[in-house]
Amino acid sequence: VVRRDGCIKAVGQADVIRHQFSGATFERIIDCSGKCVLPGLVDAHTHPVWAGDRVHEFAMKLAGASYMEIHQAGGGIHFTVEHTRKAMEEELFNTFKHRLERMRRAGSTLVECKSGYGLNLETELKMLRVIERAKQSMDIGISSTYCGAHSVPKGKTATEAADDIINNHLPKLKELKLSGEIHVNNIDVFCEKGVFDLDSTRRILQAGKDIGLQINFHGDELHPMKSAELGAELGARAISHLEEVSDEGITAMAKAKCAAVLLPTTAYMLRLKQPPARKMLEEGVIVALGSDFNPNAYCFSMPMVMHLACVNMKMSMNEALAAATINAAYALGKSDTHGSIETGKQGDLIVINSSRWEHLIYQFGGHEALIDYVIVKGKVIYQNESCGAMSSY
C-alpha cells in the first residue's frame, strides 16, 4: 500500500492488507496475482547527457584497438566532448529524456547521472542544467554528479585542469546551489594513468567534499592506481570500476563502508578482466551495480547488467538483485529512502509477469516482455501494452 505522498504505508500478506484497509478507498488497485513485486532498480553509474554517438569506435574495438589507443587518437571522450560542446541545450535535454524513458522501461526508478563531456565550465553547466530539468520534470529519481574531471582538456596538464576545477568550476557550483538553480549530489574524477593522477584526484575530490558533495569516483579501471585506498581515506561514498583494485584497497573499502560500483558492461565491451566481485563480497565490501551507460557502453538495462554480473563476475542472483537495489541506493546516499520495499520508504516498484523474481535476471535481454509495471512514488509511470497477455515461460 502506497500513500498519496508516494511513500509505502504498509507491506504484508494480501489477506492481512485487505483486512487492514477494508474501509479505505484507493486511487488504483493493481492485481499482481501470480506475479512478483520488486523494488525499483537503481542504476548507480551512468553518463547519459551527450551528443554524437561512437558506433564507429565499436568497430575499432572489435578490430583490437584498446580504450586508451582510441582515446589518444582523438576518439573516446574527446570525440564526445567536441559534439557535446556544439550541441544546443534543448537537443541535449531531448535525447537525455529519451534515454531516461528507456531506462525506466527496463525497470530503473533511480539513476545516477553524470556530466563530464564538457571539460569546460560552460558545457559542464549546460549538462548539469539539463540534468536539473529532468529532475524537476520527469517521474524518475536522479542523483546528479559533477564529473568535470572526466578527462584532461586538450592543451592543459592534469595539474592545470585540476586548478581550473578547484578555482573556477566548484565555486560556481556552490554559488548555483545557494541560489537554488542547480543541486549537484556527487563529485567524480577519472583517476587513471594518463588522465588524473592520485595527487590531482585527491585535490579535486577534497575540494568537492568541502562544498558538500559526496565523493563517488572512477578508480583502478585500466591500471592499479591505489584509488580504492584514496577513496577510503577521503571518506568516499562509492568508487566505480575497480577492475585493477589491490587487495589492500579492498580491505580499506570494506573498513570504510565505501561502496564498490561494479560495471560488468564495461569490462565485457572493452574485454577487460572483470572486477573481483567475489573477493569484495567475501571481505565485506558493499557491492553495487551500474550500467555505465555512455557512448562507449550503450546499455540501458539493469536486468542485463545483473545477468552479466552473475555470469561474468560470479555473483549469485540474490547478490546481484541487492547490488542493483539497496546497495546501489547506498552508493548514492539514498538507502534510507530507496532500494527496498519497506514501510516509510518511497513507493518505487516494478511488477514482473512471473511467479519467480529470478526471471528478471535469467531472461537475458527479456525485460521488455517481462516487466508489466514500473511505479515511482506510487504512480504507474510505465505499463507494458501487453500486460498480462503473455507468460514469462
Side-chain angles (χ1 to χ4, degrees):
V1 177
V2 182
R3 299 190 303 250
R4 286 190 185 276
D5 68 358
C7 292
I8 296 170
K9 170 78 172 171
V11 181
Q13 295 291 334
D15 54 347
V16 175
I17 293 287
R18 285 194 190 99
H19 177 74
Q20 187 181 342
F21 291 90
S22 57
T25 55
F26 291 91
E27 202 174 288
R28 182 165 187 179
I29 295 173
I30 298 174
D31 184 356
C32 297
S33 305
K35 300 181 181 182
C36 278
V37 182
L38 293 166
L41 303 178
V42 181
D43 190 339
H45 183 122
T46 80
H47 301 259
V49 183
W50 45 268
D53 70 39
R54 304 214 298 262
V55 66
H56 60 288
E57 288 182 13
F58 189 51
M60 292 167 70
K61 285 190 211 100
L62 295 179
S66 73
Y67 178 87
M68 288 311 285
E69 282 168 354
I70 292 169
H71 185 77
Q72 283 153 7
I77 291 170
H78 288 301
F79 177 87
T80 306
V81 167
E82 192 181 321
H83 285 75
T84 306
R85 285 180 177 179
K86 290 174 185 171
M88 300 296 286
E89 189 170 315
E90 202 60 32
E91 177 196 340
L92 290 175
F93 178 70
N94 288 333
T95 52
F96 176 44
K97 188 178 170 186
H98 175 70
R99 289 163 189 159
L100 285 176
E101 284 165 355
R102 288 183 68 179
M103 289 176 184
R104 287 193 312 196
R105 292 200 297 272
S108 292
T109 55
L110 172 61
V111 179
E112 185 263 4
C113 299
K114 302 177 192 293
S115 70
Y117 292 118
L119 309 185
N120 60 27
L121 182 56
E122 180 191 353
T123 314
E124 290 296 314
L125 292 179
K126 178 170 68 174
M127 296 179 74
L128 291 170
R129 280 195 303 271
V130 164
I131 294 169
E132 190 69 29
R133 278 178 68 183
K135 267 189 190 182
Q136 305 303 328
S137 64
M138 291 189 70
D139 292 316
I140 187 168
I142 292 175
S143 177
S144 60
T145 300
Y146 164 74
C147 187
H150 195 196
S151 185
V152 178
K154 288 178 180 177
K156 283 191 173 151
T157 65
T159 303
E160 288 167 345
D163 289 344
D164 184 34
I165 287 165
I166 293 163
N167 298 326
N168 298 309
H169 293 214
L170 293 177
K172 187 65 177 176
L173 287 187
K174 185 178 180 183
E175 179 192 316
L176 292 169
K177 181 184 178 183
L178 290 171
S179 68
E181 289 176 60
I182 295 176
H183 296 89
V184 179
N185 304 104
N186 316 288
I187 184 156
D188 191 353
V189 175
F190 187 15
C191 182
E192 184 54 68
K193 190 176 175 181
V195 191
F196 287 93
D197 61 19
L198 213 59
D199 182 55
S200 294
T201 300
R202 178 194 299 276
R203 290 174 57 220
I204 296 167
L205 293 177
Q206 186 60 56
K209 186 179 181 181
D210 291 345
I211 64 163
L213 301 178
Q214 290 183 133
I215 296 175
N216 189 333
F217 72 111
H218 292 60
D220 295 328
E221 179 186 358
L222 305 172
H223 299 92
M225 298 286 293
K226 296 197 180 296
S227 301
E229 292 90 327
L230 175 66
E233 179 196 326
L234 293 177
R237 187 72 190 188
I239 306 170
S240 292
H241 282 291
L242 300 164
E243 287 87 350
E244 298 287 345
V245 68
S246 68
D247 291 349
E248 295 77 14
I250 291 173
T251 303
M253 286 180 72
K255 193 173 177 184
K257 293 186 166 51
C258 171
V261 179
L262 305 185
L263 310 168
T265 49
T266 314
Y268 164 72
M269 290 183 192
L270 294 179
R271 295 168 173 164
L272 304 174
K273 74 176 186 186
Q274 296 287 330
R278 285 260 51 90
K279 183 167 176 58
M280 290 178 179
L281 289 161
E282 284 155 14
E283 294 225 8
V285 175
I286 299 160
V287 172
L289 289 170
S291 68
D292 196 16
F293 172 77
N294 73 78
N296 174 60
Y298 208 102
C299 176
F300 295 105
S301 169
M302 286 303 291
M304 201 170 277
V305 169
M306 288 189 284
H307 180 101
L308 289 171
C310 292
V311 174
N312 289 343
M313 299 197 307
K314 300 180 171 57
M315 291 173 72
S316 71
M317 286 191 283
N318 286 10
E319 288 166 344
L321 182 65
T325 53
I326 191 68
N327 289 4
Y330 174 88
L332 303 178
K334 290 183 175 285
S335 53
D336 55 339
T337 52
H338 295 70
S340 58
I341 304 174
E342 295 179 73
T343 303
K345 283 196 170 186
Q346 191 166 299
D348 291 3
L349 311 160
I350 58 174
V351 179
I352 66 165
N353 186 19
S354 172
S355 59
R356 294 192 56 151
W357 69 265
E358 291 94 339
H359 272 269
L360 192 62
I361 299 174
Y362 165 62
Q363 293 190 22
F364 188 45
H367 66 264
E368 288 186 3
L370 190 60
I371 295 173
D372 275 355
Y373 297 94
V374 180
I375 297 161
V376 171
K377 294 183 182 175
K379 176 183 172 185
V380 175
I381 60 164
Y382 167 70
Q383 181 174 346
N384 195 320
E385 290 175 5
S386 308
C387 183
M390 63 190 80
S391 165
S392 61
Y393 305 102

